[in-house]
Amino acid sequence: MAPEKIYDQLTLIFHDIFDDDDIKLTAELSAKDVEEWDSLNHIRLIVAVEKSMAVKFSSSEISNLENVGQFVNLIAGKFES
């Protein structure tokens, strides 16, 4: 899956999970940049992405993520396998 398509899908998921249509996804965006991005919403985000994109993440993959760009790369890697 192309990164642009992943960003498009993630944007819809972020808007839904964080109830904020003004969030603009960039590679550098991280939890510290989104007020509502707490541990519970982080879990909701991961589950929503897994469901929407039909992928699964291990806890070690998720714990190593520092920003949206890394998340996009992780998702893209799931489609290369």
Side-chain angles (χ1 to χ4, degrees):
M1 181 180 295
E4 298 81 22
K5 185 169 180 174
I6 295 171
Y7 273 102
D8 289 345
Q9 283 190 260
L10 280 180
T11 296
L12 296 174
I13 294 168
F14 269 71
H15 289 175
D16 181 51
I17 295 297
F18 299 110
D19 196 28
D20 183 352
D21 291 343
D22 293 329
I23 295 175
K24 305 287 185 235
L25 294 191
T26 65
E28 297 80 25
L29 186 76
S30 69
K32 66 179 173 45
D33 302 316
V34 179
E35 186 175 334
E36 298 296 321
W37 196 340
D38 57 17
S39 57
L40 179 58
N41 278 333
H42 186 75
I43 293 167
R44 291 180 64 223
L45 175 66
I46 298 303
V47 170
V49 170
E50 286 181 332
K51 192 173 190 178
S52 172
M53 298 187 187
V55 295
K56 287 286 184 192
F57 304 108
S58 70
S59 57
S60 63
E61 289 173 326
I62 297 306
S63 66
N64 291 326
L65 296 176
E66 295 178 8
N67 56 44
V68 170
Q70 290 178 356
F71 196 23
V72 169
N73 291 338
L74 175 62
I75 295 166
K78 297 290 184 179
F79 290 100
E80 293 173 359
S81 323

